[in-house]
Amino acid sequence: GKNSWRHARVMWFARRKKTPPPPPAPGGSRERSMAMRPAVNRLVREETLESGFTRLTYRSAYKPWFAGVARRMGMWDGRPLERKLELDELGTFCWKLVDGERSVSEMAAVLAEKYGLPGREAELAVAALLRELGKRGIVGFREPGD
């Protein structure tokens, strides 16, 4: 009847319950992450702005499904796109610490000392920046023994 259709429609648009994040993997994954050594992608170009902050230019590819549509519509010639990312004061400071040798935890310690931050807060700030740079292919990570 009419009510069952309405119920089905409401259920169709009902929000899915978010699943809680999985617990951290055993074996010290946080310690392992903090021991990683970020290194800059050689294709990234860096420039210092008048403000003293850093602007990064990096290549970005279309997602495969979008690339097909864009190519068919004549909107894309297949070459990688260049994107720019401007870092603020903390981002610029952390960026200058990325040398392929210094670990994430060492970077956090330098940041904490420079800005008077609690150690955990500095770790979170550095990890968030590096995660974002890693997603964009701006930095890669080396294991401590590499």
Side-chain angles (χ1 to χ4, degrees), residues 16-71:
R16 291 184 188 160
K17 290 183 181 175
K18 290 187 178 178
T19 56
S29 62
R30 181 177 169 277
E31 287 78 11
R32 185 169 166 254
S33 297
M34 295 303 291
M36 295 292 240
R37 295 179 303 180
V40 176
N41 180 335
R42 289 189 301 261
L43 298 175
V44 173
R45 291 193 320 270
E46 168 186 352
E47 62 184 293
T48 302
L49 305 174
E50 283 183 27
S51 61
F53 299 161
T54 300
R55 177 188 293 147
L56 305 174
T57 303
Y58 63 100
R59 290 185 171 183
S60 173
Y62 278 118
K63 301 240 184 281
W65 66 269
F66 188 76
V69 172
R71 198 175 288 123

Short mmCIF file of all heavy atoms in Angstrom, two decimals, residues 16-71:
data_model
loop_
_atom_site.label_atom_id
_atom_site.label_comp_id
_atom_site.label_asym_id
_atom_site.label_seq_id
_atom_site.Cartn_x
_atom_site.Cartn_y
_atom_site.Cartn_z
N ARG A 16 23.57 6.08 6.24
CA ARG A 16 24.22 4.86 6.74
C ARG A 16 24.95 5.22 8.02
O ARG A 16 25.51 6.29 8.16
CB ARG A 16 25.24 4.35 5.73
CG ARG A 16 24.62 3.82 4.49
CD ARG A 16 25.69 3.24 3.61
NE ARG A 16 25.11 2.88 2.33
CZ ARG A 16 25.81 2.71 1.24
NH1 ARG A 16 27.11 2.86 1.26
NH2 ARG A 16 25.23 2.38 0.12
N LYS A 17 24.94 4.26 8.93
CA LYS A 17 25.69 4.47 10.17
C LYS A 17 27.17 4.41 9.85
O LYS A 17 27.62 3.53 9.11
CB LYS A 17 25.34 3.41 11.21
CG LYS A 17 23.96 3.56 11.76
CD LYS A 17 23.71 2.52 12.83
CE LYS A 17 22.30 2.67 13.36
NZ LYS A 17 21.96 1.63 14.31
N LYS A 18 27.91 5.36 10.40
CA LYS A 18 29.36 5.36 10.18
C LYS A 18 29.98 4.26 11.03
O LYS A 18 29.66 4.12 12.20
CB LYS A 18 29.96 6.71 10.54
CG LYS A 18 29.56 7.79 9.57
CD LYS A 18 30.30 9.06 9.87
CE LYS A 18 29.92 10.11 8.84
NZ LYS A 18 30.56 11.37 9.09
N THR A 19 30.85 3.51 10.40
CA THR A 19 31.54 2.47 11.16
C THR A 19 32.71 3.11 11.90
O THR A 19 33.38 3.98 11.34
CB THR A 19 32.05 1.35 10.24
OG1 THR A 19 32.89 1.94 9.26
CG2 THR A 19 30.91 0.62 9.56
N PRO A 20 32.93 2.72 13.13
CA PRO A 20 34.05 3.31 13.86
C PRO A 20 35.38 2.92 13.21
O PRO A 20 35.46 1.87 12.57
CB PRO A 20 33.92 2.71 15.27
CG PRO A 20 33.11 1.48 15.08
CD PRO A 20 32.23 1.71 13.88
N PRO A 21 36.39 3.78 13.34
CA PRO A 21 37.68 3.42 12.74
C PRO A 21 38.25 2.17 13.39
O PRO A 21 37.99 1.92 14.57
CB PRO A 21 38.56 4.64 13.04
CG PRO A 21 37.89 5.36 14.16
CD PRO A 21 36.43 5.02 14.07
N PRO A 22 39.00 1.38 12.64
CA PRO A 22 39.57 0.18 13.22
C PRO A 22 40.59 0.54 14.29
O PRO A 22 41.20 1.60 14.24
CB PRO A 22 40.24 -0.52 12.04
CG PRO A 22 40.48 0.56 11.05
CD PRO A 22 39.39 1.58 11.26
N PRO A 23 40.75 -0.33 15.28
CA PRO A 23 41.75 -0.04 16.31
C PRO A 23 43.15 -0.04 15.71
O PRO A 23 43.36 -0.65 14.67
CB PRO A 23 41.57 -1.19 17.32
CG PRO A 23 40.93 -2.27 16.54
CD PRO A 23 40.11 -1.61 15.47
N PRO A 24 44.08 0.66 16.33
CA PRO A 24 45.44 0.68 15.78
C PRO A 24 46.02 -0.73 15.70
O PRO A 24 45.76 -1.57 16.56
CB PRO A 24 46.24 1.52 16.78
CG PRO A 24 45.29 2.01 17.81
CD PRO A 24 43.94 1.42 17.54
N ALA A 25 46.76 -0.97 14.65
CA ALA A 25 47.34 -2.30 14.45
C ALA A 25 48.39 -2.57 15.52
O ALA A 25 49.11 -1.67 15.93
CB ALA A 25 47.98 -2.36 13.07
N PRO A 26 48.46 -3.81 15.99
CA PRO A 26 49.49 -4.13 16.97
C PRO A 26 50.87 -4.04 16.33
O PRO A 26 50.99 -4.08 15.12
CB PRO A 26 49.16 -5.56 17.38
CG PRO A 26 48.35 -6.12 16.26
CD PRO A 26 47.64 -4.95 15.64
N GLY A 27 51.88 -3.90 17.15
CA GLY A 27 53.23 -3.87 16.62
C GLY A 27 53.77 -2.46 16.52
O GLY A 27 54.71 -2.21 15.78
N GLY A 28 53.17 -1.52 17.26
CA GLY A 28 53.72 -0.17 17.31
C GLY A 28 53.63 0.58 16.00
O GLY A 28 54.62 1.11 15.52
N SER A 29 52.44 0.62 15.40
CA SER A 29 52.32 1.31 14.12
C SER A 29 52.58 2.81 14.28
O SER A 29 53.14 3.44 13.39
CB SER A 29 50.94 1.08 13.50
OG SER A 29 49.94 1.61 14.34
N ARG A 30 52.22 3.40 15.41
CA ARG A 30 52.48 4.82 15.63
C ARG A 30 53.98 5.07 15.71
O ARG A 30 54.51 5.99 15.09
CB ARG A 30 51.80 5.29 16.91
CG ARG A 30 52.04 6.78 17.17
CD ARG A 30 51.27 7.25 18.41
NE ARG A 30 51.71 8.56 18.78
CZ ARG A 30 52.79 8.83 19.51
NH1 ARG A 30 53.53 7.84 19.96
NH2 ARG A 30 53.13 10.05 19.79
N GLU A 31 54.68 4.21 16.44
CA GLU A 31 56.13 4.36 16.56
C GLU A 31 56.79 4.19 15.19
O GLU A 31 57.71 4.92 14.85
CB GLU A 31 56.72 3.33 17.54
CG GLU A 31 56.41 3.62 19.00
CD GLU A 31 55.00 3.22 19.42
OE1 GLU A 31 54.29 2.53 18.64
OE2 GLU A 31 54.58 3.61 20.52
N ARG A 32 56.27 3.24 14.41
CA ARG A 32 56.82 3.01 13.08
C ARG A 32 56.59 4.23 12.20
O ARG A 32 57.49 4.67 11.48
CB ARG A 32 56.17 1.78 12.47
CG ARG A 32 56.75 1.39 11.14
CD ARG A 32 56.25 0.01 10.71
NE ARG A 32 56.57 -0.16 9.32
CZ ARG A 32 55.68 -0.10 8.34
NH1 ARG A 32 54.41 0.09 8.61
NH2 ARG A 32 56.05 -0.26 7.09
N SER A 33 55.38 4.80 12.26
CA SER A 33 55.07 5.99 11.47
C SER A 33 55.95 7.16 11.87
O SER A 33 56.42 7.91 11.01
CB SER A 33 53.60 6.39 11.66
OG SER A 33 52.76 5.39 11.19
N MET A 34 56.18 7.32 13.15
CA MET A 34 56.99 8.45 13.63
C MET A 34 58.46 8.27 13.27
O MET A 34 59.21 9.24 13.24
CB MET A 34 56.82 8.63 15.14
CG MET A 34 55.42 9.04 15.56
SD MET A 34 54.82 10.54 14.77
CE MET A 34 55.87 11.76 15.52
N ALA A 35 58.88 7.03 13.00
CA ALA A 35 60.27 6.77 12.63
C ALA A 35 60.51 6.93 11.13
O ALA A 35 61.66 6.96 10.69
CB ALA A 35 60.67 5.37 13.07
N MET A 36 59.43 7.03 10.34
CA MET A 36 59.58 7.19 8.89
C MET A 36 60.31 8.48 8.56
O MET A 36 60.23 9.46 9.30
CB MET A 36 58.21 7.20 8.21
CG MET A 36 57.47 5.91 8.34
SD MET A 36 58.28 4.61 7.43
CE MET A 36 57.00 4.17 6.32
N ARG A 37 61.01 8.46 7.43
CA ARG A 37 61.76 9.64 7.01
C ARG A 37 61.16 10.16 5.71
O ARG A 37 61.31 9.53 4.66
CB ARG A 37 63.22 9.28 6.83
CG ARG A 37 63.87 8.89 8.15
CD ARG A 37 65.29 8.51 7.99
NE ARG A 37 65.40 7.41 7.02
CZ ARG A 37 66.53 6.86 6.66
NH1 ARG A 37 67.66 7.28 7.15
NH2 ARG A 37 66.55 5.88 5.79
N PRO A 38 60.47 11.30 5.77
CA PRO A 38 59.88 11.86 4.55
C PRO A 38 60.95 12.43 3.63
O PRO A 38 61.95 12.98 4.09
CB PRO A 38 58.95 12.96 5.06
CG PRO A 38 59.40 13.27 6.44
CD PRO A 38 60.13 12.07 6.96
N ALA A 39 60.74 12.26 2.33
CA ALA A 39 61.64 12.78 1.31
C ALA A 39 60.81 13.46 0.23
O ALA A 39 59.69 13.02 -0.07
CB ALA A 39 62.48 11.65 0.71
N VAL A 40 61.35 14.51 -0.35
CA VAL A 40 60.63 15.30 -1.34
C VAL A 40 60.67 14.62 -2.71
O VAL A 40 61.71 14.11 -3.13
CB VAL A 40 61.27 16.71 -1.46
CG1 VAL A 40 60.61 17.53 -2.55
CG2 VAL A 40 61.20 17.43 -0.13
N ASN A 41 59.53 14.60 -3.38
CA ASN A 41 59.44 14.12 -4.76
C ASN A 41 60.27 15.06 -5.64
O ASN A 41 60.13 16.28 -5.57
CB ASN A 41 57.97 14.13 -5.19
CG ASN A 41 57.75 13.65 -6.60
OD1 ASN A 41 58.64 13.71 -7.45
ND2 ASN A 41 56.55 13.18 -6.86
N ARG A 42 61.14 14.49 -6.48
CA ARG A 42 62.03 15.32 -7.31
C ARG A 42 61.28 16.19 -8.31
O ARG A 42 61.83 17.16 -8.81
CB ARG A 42 63.02 14.43 -8.06
CG ARG A 42 64.06 13.80 -7.15
CD ARG A 42 65.14 13.12 -7.96
NE ARG A 42 64.61 12.08 -8.84
CZ ARG A 42 64.63 10.80 -8.56
NH1 ARG A 42 65.16 10.37 -7.44
NH2 ARG A 42 64.15 9.91 -9.39
N LEU A 43 60.05 15.84 -8.63
CA LEU A 43 59.28 16.60 -9.62
C LEU A 43 58.61 17.84 -9.02
O LEU A 43 58.01 18.63 -9.74
CB LEU A 43 58.22 15.71 -10.28
CG LEU A 43 58.77 14.51 -11.05
CD1 LEU A 43 57.63 13.65 -11.56
CD2 LEU A 43 59.64 14.98 -12.20
N VAL A 44 58.68 17.99 -7.70
CA VAL A 44 58.04 19.13 -7.04
C VAL A 44 58.94 20.36 -7.17
O VAL A 44 60.15 20.29 -6.92
CB VAL A 44 57.77 18.81 -5.55
CG1 VAL A 44 57.26 20.04 -4.82
CG2 VAL A 44 56.77 17.68 -5.44
N ARG A 45 58.33 21.48 -7.57
CA ARG A 45 59.06 22.74 -7.63
C ARG A 45 58.65 23.58 -6.42
O ARG A 45 57.48 23.60 -6.03
CB ARG A 45 58.74 23.50 -8.92
CG ARG A 45 59.32 22.81 -10.15
CD ARG A 45 59.29 23.71 -11.37
NE ARG A 45 58.11 24.51 -11.54
CZ ARG A 45 57.01 24.14 -12.20
NH1 ARG A 45 56.96 22.96 -12.79
NH2 ARG A 45 55.98 24.95 -12.32
N GLU A 46 59.61 24.28 -5.89
CA GLU A 46 59.39 25.07 -4.67
C GLU A 46 59.77 26.51 -4.96
O GLU A 46 60.76 26.78 -5.63
CB GLU A 46 60.29 24.48 -3.59
CG GLU A 46 60.44 25.28 -2.36
CD GLU A 46 61.46 24.69 -1.40
OE1 GLU A 46 61.96 23.58 -1.63
OE2 GLU A 46 61.76 25.38 -0.42
N GLU A 47 58.95 27.44 -4.47
CA GLU A 47 59.33 28.85 -4.56
C GLU A 47 58.99 29.54 -3.26
O GLU A 47 58.05 29.16 -2.57
CB GLU A 47 58.67 29.54 -5.76
CG GLU A 47 57.16 29.59 -5.71
CD GLU A 47 56.56 30.19 -6.97
OE1 GLU A 47 56.76 31.40 -7.20
OE2 GLU A 47 55.89 29.45 -7.70
N THR A 48 59.79 30.54 -2.91
CA THR A 48 59.55 31.30 -1.70
C THR A 48 58.80 32.57 -2.09
O THR A 48 59.24 33.31 -2.98
CB THR A 48 60.88 31.66 -1.01
OG1 THR A 48 61.57 30.43 -0.73
CG2 THR A 48 60.64 32.41 0.29
N LEU A 49 57.68 32.79 -1.45
CA LEU A 49 56.85 33.96 -1.73
C LEU A 49 57.39 35.17 -0.98
O LEU A 49 58.22 35.03 -0.07
CB LEU A 49 55.41 33.67 -1.33
CG LEU A 49 54.79 32.41 -1.97
CD1 LEU A 49 53.42 32.14 -1.38
CD2 LEU A 49 54.70 32.58 -3.47
N GLU A 50 56.89 36.36 -1.33
CA GLU A 50 57.32 37.58 -0.64
C GLU A 50 57.07 37.49 0.86
O GLU A 50 57.82 38.05 1.66
CB GLU A 50 56.57 38.80 -1.21
CG GLU A 50 57.10 39.25 -2.54
CD GLU A 50 56.39 40.50 -3.03
OE1 GLU A 50 55.90 41.28 -2.19
OE2 GLU A 50 56.34 40.69 -4.25
N SER A 51 56.03 36.78 1.25
CA SER A 51 55.68 36.61 2.66
C SER A 51 56.71 35.76 3.40
O SER A 51 56.69 35.70 4.63
CB SER A 51 54.31 35.95 2.77
OG SER A 51 54.34 34.67 2.17
N GLY A 52 57.57 35.08 2.65
CA GLY A 52 58.52 34.16 3.26
C GLY A 52 57.98 32.73 3.31
O GLY A 52 58.69 31.80 3.65
N PHE A 53 56.70 32.57 2.97
CA PHE A 53 56.09 31.25 2.95
C PHE A 53 56.48 30.54 1.66
O PHE A 53 57.04 31.14 0.75
CB PHE A 53 54.58 31.34 3.08
CG PHE A 53 54.11 31.98 4.36
CD1 PHE A 53 52.83 32.49 4.46
CD2 PHE A 53 54.94 32.09 5.47
CE1 PHE A 53 52.39 33.09 5.64
CE2 PHE A 53 54.51 32.68 6.65
CZ PHE A 53 53.22 33.18 6.72
N THR A 54 56.15 29.26 1.58
CA THR A 54 56.55 28.43 0.45
C THR A 54 55.34 28.07 -0.41
O THR A 54 54.28 27.76 0.12
CB THR A 54 57.22 27.13 0.95
OG1 THR A 54 58.37 27.50 1.71
CG2 THR A 54 57.64 26.23 -0.18
N ARG A 55 55.54 28.11 -1.73
CA ARG A 55 54.53 27.61 -2.67
C ARG A 55 55.14 26.41 -3.38
O ARG A 55 56.24 26.49 -3.91
CB ARG A 55 54.15 28.66 -3.70
CG ARG A 55 53.14 28.10 -4.73
CD ARG A 55 52.88 29.05 -5.88
NE ARG A 55 52.20 30.22 -5.40
CZ ARG A 55 52.38 31.45 -5.93
NH1 ARG A 55 53.24 31.64 -6.90
NH2 ARG A 55 51.71 32.48 -5.46
N LEU A 56 54.40 25.31 -3.37
CA LEU A 56 54.85 24.08 -4.03
C LEU A 56 54.04 23.88 -5.30
O LEU A 56 52.82 24.06 -5.29
CB LEU A 56 54.65 22.88 -3.10
CG LEU A 56 55.30 22.98 -1.72
CD1 LEU A 56 54.91 21.78 -0.86
CD2 LEU A 56 56.81 23.09 -1.85
N THR A 57 54.71 23.51 -6.38
CA THR A 57 54.03 23.18 -7.63
C THR A 57 54.30 21.70 -7.87
O THR A 57 55.46 21.26 -7.86
CB THR A 57 54.57 24.03 -8.79
OG1 THR A 57 54.41 25.41 -8.45
CG2 THR A 57 53.81 23.74 -10.08
N TYR A 58 53.22 20.94 -8.07
CA TYR A 58 53.36 19.50 -8.22
C TYR A 58 52.42 19.01 -9.30
O TYR A 58 51.48 19.69 -9.68
CB TYR A 58 53.08 18.79 -6.88
CG TYR A 58 51.68 18.99 -6.37
CD1 TYR A 58 50.71 18.01 -6.55
CD2 TYR A 58 51.31 20.15 -5.70
CE1 TYR A 58 49.42 18.18 -6.07
CE2 TYR A 58 50.02 20.34 -5.23
CZ TYR A 58 49.08 19.36 -5.42
OH TYR A 58 47.80 19.53 -4.97
N ARG A 59 52.71 17.83 -9.81
CA ARG A 59 51.87 17.23 -10.84
C ARG A 59 50.74 16.46 -10.19
O ARG A 59 50.93 15.78 -9.20
CB ARG A 59 52.69 16.30 -11.71
CG ARG A 59 53.65 17.05 -12.57
CD ARG A 59 54.34 16.12 -13.50
NE ARG A 59 55.11 16.91 -14.46
CZ ARG A 59 55.79 16.39 -15.44
NH1 ARG A 59 55.81 15.09 -15.61
NH2 ARG A 59 56.45 17.16 -16.26
N SER A 60 49.60 16.55 -10.83
CA SER A 60 48.43 15.84 -10.34
C SER A 60 47.74 15.19 -11.53
O SER A 60 47.53 15.85 -12.55
CB SER A 60 47.48 16.82 -9.64
OG SER A 60 46.28 16.18 -9.30
N ALA A 61 47.42 13.94 -11.40
CA ALA A 61 46.73 13.24 -12.48
C ALA A 61 45.23 13.24 -12.19
O ALA A 61 44.81 13.26 -11.04
CB ALA A 61 47.24 11.81 -12.60
N TYR A 62 44.45 13.21 -13.26
CA TYR A 62 43.00 13.03 -13.10
C TYR A 62 42.74 11.64 -12.54
O TYR A 62 43.50 10.70 -12.81
CB TYR A 62 42.29 13.11 -14.45
CG TYR A 62 42.01 14.50 -14.95
CD1 TYR A 62 42.57 14.96 -16.13
CD2 TYR A 62 41.15 15.35 -14.25
CE1 TYR A 62 42.29 16.22 -16.61
CE2 TYR A 62 40.87 16.61 -14.73
CZ TYR A 62 41.44 17.05 -15.91
OH TYR A 62 41.15 18.29 -16.37
N LYS A 63 41.65 11.48 -11.83
CA LYS A 63 41.21 10.15 -11.42
C LYS A 63 40.83 9.40 -12.70
O LYS A 63 40.33 10.00 -13.65
CB LYS A 63 40.00 10.26 -10.50
CG LYS A 63 40.28 11.06 -9.24
CD LYS A 63 40.07 10.21 -8.04
CE LYS A 63 40.24 10.95 -6.75
NZ LYS A 63 41.60 11.18 -6.36
N PRO A 64 41.07 8.08 -12.77
CA PRO A 64 40.84 7.34 -14.01
C PRO A 64 39.44 7.53 -14.60
O PRO A 64 39.31 7.73 -15.80
CB PRO A 64 41.08 5.88 -13.62
CG PRO A 64 41.99 5.96 -12.44
CD PRO A 64 41.63 7.24 -11.72
N TRP A 65 38.40 7.48 -13.78
CA TRP A 65 37.05 7.62 -14.33
C TRP A 65 36.84 9.01 -14.91
O TRP A 65 36.19 9.18 -15.93
CB TRP A 65 35.99 7.32 -13.26
CG TRP A 65 35.97 8.30 -12.14
CD1 TRP A 65 36.66 8.23 -10.96
CD2 TRP A 65 35.26 9.54 -12.07
NE1 TRP A 65 36.42 9.34 -10.19
CE2 TRP A 65 35.56 10.16 -10.84
CE3 TRP A 65 34.39 10.19 -12.95
CZ2 TRP A 65 35.03 11.38 -10.46
CZ3 TRP A 65 33.85 11.41 -12.56
CH2 TRP A 65 34.18 12.00 -11.33
N PHE A 66 37.41 10.03 -14.28
CA PHE A 66 37.25 11.40 -14.76
C PHE A 66 38.09 11.63 -16.01
O PHE A 66 37.69 12.35 -16.92
CB PHE A 66 37.63 12.40 -13.67
CG PHE A 66 37.30 13.82 -14.04
CD1 PHE A 66 36.00 14.26 -14.02
CD2 PHE A 66 38.30 14.68 -14.44
CE1 PHE A 66 35.69 15.57 -14.37
CE2 PHE A 66 38.01 15.98 -14.80
CZ PHE A 66 36.70 16.43 -14.76
N ALA A 67 39.26 11.00 -16.07
CA ALA A 67 40.14 11.17 -17.22
C ALA A 67 39.45 10.70 -18.50
O ALA A 67 39.53 11.37 -19.53
CB ALA A 67 41.44 10.39 -17.00
N GLY A 68 38.75 9.58 -18.42
CA GLY A 68 38.04 9.06 -19.61
C GLY A 68 36.98 10.03 -20.08
O GLY A 68 36.87 10.32 -21.28
N VAL A 69 36.20 10.56 -19.17
CA VAL A 69 35.15 11.52 -19.51
C VAL A 69 35.77 12.80 -20.08
O VAL A 69 35.35 13.31 -21.12
CB VAL A 69 34.28 11.85 -18.27
CG1 VAL A 69 33.32 12.99 -18.57
CG2 VAL A 69 33.54 10.62 -17.81
N ALA A 70 36.80 13.32 -19.41
CA ALA A 70 37.44 14.57 -19.84
C ALA A 70 38.07 14.40 -21.22
O ALA A 70 37.99 15.30 -22.06
CB ALA A 70 38.49 15.00 -18.82
N ARG A 71 38.67 13.26 -21.48
CA ARG A 71 39.31 13.02 -22.77
C ARG A 71 38.25 12.96 -23.87
O ARG A 71 38.42 13.56 -24.93
CB ARG A 71 40.12 11.73 -22.72
CG ARG A 71 41.15 11.62 -23.83
CD ARG A 71 42.05 10.39 -23.70
NE ARG A 71 42.99 10.52 -22.59
CZ ARG A 71 43.10 9.66 -21.59
NH1 ARG A 71 42.33 8.59 -21.52
NH2 ARG A 71 43.98 9.85 -20.64
#
